[in-house]
């Protein structure tokens, strides 16, 4: 007789929903000169998606929830990337108000980090609905906890949103994953994009600081 399916499948999706709303809120703080369209637009899209996404999660319509999550993710990713490009344009074409430039760069940096933390959270192991709370099986990331056992899975441990945010934080500050290995090509591409956007925002802040000292 085949073993009964595990009842521990699926991890809470609400951290990802909160992260999406936070990203939209950060982008809403950015000047309209650093966004495509009004700065509140990504937040409005996220809030509209948050309602059906929450309902889909409560009803365990995981396929619908994941599609809605990806729609929100693509929206904020495009918004963050566009803001980084406009940030460089404003710095090059100047003169600019240093207050909104630095505030915008900081908000974009944090939004970028949260955006890609959400990407990592969504893609690893088939997404939150497919991951197991009684033992994680890695497909995109090799966390240190997984290297304690047989090198591919760890019984009784699963990565929470904070673990993926830590990976994203490292990619935005050290431009590398540090303690977590990147396994899949899609995760590597995402991390390269994240590091590039982070590098752009850090370069803008550094350039503004040097200009101020002069």
């Amino acid at each position: 007789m085949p073993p009964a399916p595990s009842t521990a499948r699926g991890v809470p999706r609400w951290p990802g929903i909160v992260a999406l709303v936070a990203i939209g809120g950060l982008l809403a703080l950015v000047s309209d000169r650093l966004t495509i369209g009004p700065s509140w637009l990504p937040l409005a899209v996220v809030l509209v998606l948050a309602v059906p996404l929450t309902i889909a999660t409560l009803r365990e319509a995981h396929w619908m929830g994941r599609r809605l999550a990806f729609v929100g993710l693509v929206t904020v990713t495009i918004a963050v990337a566009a803001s980084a490009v406009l940030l460089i344009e404003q710095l090059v074409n100047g003169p600019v108000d240093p207050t909104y430039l630095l505030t915008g760069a900081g908000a974009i940096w944090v939004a970028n980090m949260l955006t890609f933390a959400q990407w990592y959270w969504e893609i690893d192991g088939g997404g939150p609905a497919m991951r197991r709370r009684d033992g994680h099986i890695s497909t995109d990331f090799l966390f240190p906890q997984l290297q304690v056992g047989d090198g591919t899975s760890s019984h009784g441990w699963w990565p929470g949103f904070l673990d993926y945010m830590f990976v994203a934080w490292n990619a935005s500050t050290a431009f590398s994953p540090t303690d977590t290995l990147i396994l899949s090509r899609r995760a590597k591409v995402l991390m390269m994009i994240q590091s590039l956007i982070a590098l752009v925002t850090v370069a803008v802040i550094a350039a503004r600081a040097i200009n101020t000292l002069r």
Side-chain angles (χ1 to χ4, degrees), residues 134-212:
D134 60 350
H136 181 67
I137 298 177
S138 179
T139 57
D140 294 276
F141 303 94
L142 184 57
F143 291 95
Q145 291 85 347
L146 303 180
Q147 302 177 46
V148 175
D150 59 10
T152 58
S153 63
S154 176
H155 296 291
W157 181 88
W158 53 276
F161 187 82
L162 183 61
D163 296 290
Y164 295 99
M165 189 167 71
F166 182 69
V167 174
W169 173 272
N170 290 331
S172 287
T173 53
F175 306 112
S176 67
T178 61
D179 69 338
T180 302
L181 299 179
I182 311 302
L183 302 180
S184 68
R185 292 176 179 175
R186 61 181 180 179
K188 291 176 182 178
V189 170
L190 287 171
M191 186 160 289
M192 285 190 291
I193 296 172
Q194 180 199 349
S195 297
L196 178 60
I197 296 174
L199 181 60
V200 166
T201 56
V202 170
V204 167
I205 295 174
R208 186 62 219 178
I210 293 172
N211 187 54
T212 301

Side-chain angles (χ1 to χ4, degrees), residues 27-39 83 100-101 103-104:
L27 293 174
L29 299 176
V30 176
S31 169
D32 287 343
R33 297 172 65 182
L34 297 176
T35 59
I36 299 177
S39 59
S83 292
Y100 97 78
L101 185 67
T103 301

Side-chain angles (χ1 to χ4, degrees), residues 37-53:
S39 59
W40 51 262
L41 186 58
L43 177 60
V45 173
V46 167
L47 290 176
V48 169
L49 290 173
V51 176
L53 180 55

